[in-house]
């Protein structure tokens, strides 16, 4: 009977984790490719798993100084988690794209494990019903579960932030500070914008003492600095503290524009675009939660201050403030729980109906966002198709593929490359008219016409969402994004049957 009892207890204990893990895994398998903002950590993870002791030479050649943000303790930890799966993949001689899937699943496991810790503390402090609504909100939101498997420094920091939130709810305030300090020093220096408001609130409410806080923060800082310097210095064969160099480069030297950042948003963008898109129905609910439960203001105020402080920076992206989403979801869950408990009362019944409708609408928005994201990695699908149909049979010659900047930014990483008679070039700055003289076999290019090459086929990508009268009322508008071109001097390739380009 014991095994049966353990089996019957599994879903009540781990059911929420299975739900969130399943959704995140579907996102990974359906859209396994990565974008340019993930390239540093993806490069680091690839080289740790496949090159090991030759990491520093391989990456320094490719990226130079700025690559110091790519190899850090986070990449090492994720590669350790993923390594058993990668070993099995290599033994089975499967494509390296499965190793990318393994890496993303390992990262997602870590983030969702920390989210579980936070969820348990929510249950202990606010009850089972609030916990249930918290999980429902996370499940129907797209960005949290999609981003949790993306190897970004922001996501690595999110795992520590989830732990800090859990300790915050538990009342272990010094552990809260330690987690945030570790996240700030090792993964994202901008977590200081969350650490400061939260620490100030704990001091003002006398949750912690100043002297004990100084000792706690100093110890955690020294430990974190020592650990990251030791790990990265061994990898890079030089003394380096990655996040300090990022902070110095971006903030002190004010050279962040050299990262290629060319777009900015107004101060209010996080509140009018990023948060509504990520929170969906939880956005109005979290504001209501602050009103309905006075305990929530204690948790929301520092996180809201974090978003306000971040809003002063002109370069804005949703991933920069994704660490705020769990606390906003908590506040929204408290509001949803209160509405549910009072649903039989006249006014509250109307709110309950609106809540149910908003949950359905949010789910629909998530489905649409996922469909757009699925179509947003055209070069990854292009290279996959080229590997399948592009190599000439019965030949030992190598096929050289030149990947232009646009293609490299939209779905291609070293995990997408094949070691079987394929060679790749990502050299930048080559004029289109000179590509012919380099004797590339194929081009992955954003241009459909290049001298000396024939357009073999194209891959469409997401362009925009179109509203129209019909069912479903929303459709994806796609347009050609990446063109695969073949060298006209290679008659074996040109004479084959290709779909062609429109």
């Amino acid at each position: 009977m014991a095994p049966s009892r353990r089996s019957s207890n599994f879903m009540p204990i781990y059911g929420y984790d299975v739900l969130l893990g399943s959704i995140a895994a579907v996102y990974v398998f359906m859209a396994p490719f990565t974008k340019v903002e993930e390239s540093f950590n993806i490069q680091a993870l690839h080289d740790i798993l496949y090159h090991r002791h030759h990491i520093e030479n391989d990456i320094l050649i490719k990226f130079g100084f700025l690559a110091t943000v790519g190899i850090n303790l986070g990449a090492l930890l994720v590669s350790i988690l993923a390594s058993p799966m990668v070993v099995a993949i290599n033994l089975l001689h499967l494509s390296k794209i499965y190793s990318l899937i393994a890496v993303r699943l390992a990262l997602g496991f870590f983030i969702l494990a920390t989210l579980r810790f936070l969820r348990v503390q929510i249950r202990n402090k606010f009850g089972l019903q609030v916990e249930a609504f918290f999980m429902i909100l996370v499940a129907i939101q797209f960005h949290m579960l999609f981003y949790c498997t993306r190897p970004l420094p922001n996501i690595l920091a999110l795992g520590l932030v989830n732990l800090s939130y859990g300790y915050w709810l538990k009342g272990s305030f010094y552990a809260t500070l330690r987690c945030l300090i570790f996240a700030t020093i090792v993964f994202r220096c901008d977590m200081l914008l969350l650490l400061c408001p939260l620490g100030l609130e704990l001091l003002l409410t006398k949750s912690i003492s100043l002297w004990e806080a100084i000792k706690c923060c100093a110890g955690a800082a020294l430990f974190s600095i020592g650990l990251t310097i030791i790990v990265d210095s061994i990898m890079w064969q030089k003394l380096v503290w990655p996040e300090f160099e990022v902070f110095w480069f971006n903030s002190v030297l004010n050279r962040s524009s050299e990262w290629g950042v060319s777009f900015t948003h107004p101060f209010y963008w996080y509140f009018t675009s990023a948060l509504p898109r990520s929170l969906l129905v939880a956005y109005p609910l979290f504001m209501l939660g602050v009103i309905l439960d006075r305990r929530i203001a204690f948790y929301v105020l520092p996180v809201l201050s974090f978003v306000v402080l971040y809003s002063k920076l002109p370069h804005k992206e949703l991933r920069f403030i994704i660490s705020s989403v769990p606390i906003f979801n908590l506040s929204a869950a408290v509001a949803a729980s209160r509405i549910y408990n009072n649903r039989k009362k006249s006014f509250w019944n109307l709110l309950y109906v609106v809540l149910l409708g908003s949950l359905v609408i949010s789910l629909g928005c998530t489905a649409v966002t996922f469909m757009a994201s699925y179509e947003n990695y055209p070069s990854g699908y292009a290279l996959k198709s080229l590997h399948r149909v592009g190599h000439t049979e019965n030949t030992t010659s190598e096929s050289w593929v030149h990947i232009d900047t646009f293609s490299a930014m939209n779905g291609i990483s070293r995990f997408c490359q094949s070691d079987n008679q394929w060679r790749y070039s990502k050299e930048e700055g080559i004029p289109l008219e000179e590509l012919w003289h380099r004797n590339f076999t194929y081009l992955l290019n954003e241009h459909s016409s290049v001298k000396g090459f024939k357009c073999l086929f194209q891959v469409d990508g997401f362009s925009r969402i179109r509203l129209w009268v019909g069912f479903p009322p929303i459709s994806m508008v796609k347009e050609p994004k990446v063109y695969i071109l073949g060298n006209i001097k290679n008659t074996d390739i040109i004479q084959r049957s290709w779909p062609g380009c429109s």
Side-chain angles (χ1 to χ4, degrees), residues 286-342:
F286 103 78
M287 294 182 279
L288 182 60
V290 176
I291 299 172
L292 295 177
D293 192 328
R294 60 184 181 181
R295 295 175 297 173
I296 287 297
F298 178 72
Y299 301 104
V300 168
L301 186 59
V303 178
L304 194 60
S305 300
F306 162 67
V307 179
V308 170
L309 290 172
Y310 227 130
S311 297
K312 294 182 177 294
L313 299 179
H315 176 213
K316 296 178 175 65
E317 294 186 42
L318 170 59
R319 61 190 174 97
F320 292 166
I321 62 159
I322 198 168
S323 296
S324 66
V325 170
I327 289 298
F328 291 150
N329 277 340
L330 168 60
S331 180
V334 169
S337 178
R338 183 69 63 88
I339 292 172
Y340 179 81
N341 288 336
N342 292 279

Side-chain angles (χ1 to χ4, degrees), residues 40 65-66 69 188-190 245-264 310 312-317 319-320:
F40 289 127
F65 167 74
L66 290 181
V69 299
R188 285 292 296 188
C189 56
D190 50 21
E245 300 212 16
V246 172
F247 172 78
W248 188 265
F249 187 86
N250 289 341
S251 302
V252 179
L253 300 181
N254 195 25
R255 295 171 59 189
S256 60
S257 60
E258 296 181 25
W259 292 93
V261 176
S262 59
F263 56 92
T264 59
Y310 227 130
K312 294 182 177 294
L313 299 179
H315 176 213
K316 296 178 175 65
E317 294 186 42
R319 61 190 174 97
F320 292 166

Side-chain angles (χ1 to χ4, degrees), residues 218-233:
L222 290 174
F223 171 79
S224 302
I225 293 171
L227 183 61
T228 187
I229 288 178
I230 289 172
V231 171
D232 285 280
S233 297

Side-chain angles (χ1 to χ4, degrees), residues 106-171:
L107 175 58
F109 174 82
F110 167 70
I111 299 300
L112 293 180
T114 63
L115 190 65
R116 171 184 167 78
F117 175 74
L118 172 58
R119 173 176 63 81
V120 170
Q121 306 314 315
I122 290 173
R123 180 179 64 207
N124 293 339
K125 191 170 186 67
F126 294 95
L128 290 170
Q129 194 166 282
V130 172
E131 176 197 19
F133 276 110
F134 178 82
M135 286 294 101
I136 290 171
L137 292 172
V138 173
I140 66 172
Q141 293 167 350
F142 173 75
H143 293 92
M144 176 62 73
L145 295 182
F146 185 74
Y147 269 83
C148 78
T149 65
R150 296 183 64 184
L152 294 159
N154 313 82
I155 302 305
L156 293 168
L158 176 62
L160 273 297
V161 173
N162 284 339
L163 291 178
S164 72
Y165 288 157
Y167 285 120
W168 194 13
L169 291 169
K170 191 177 181 180

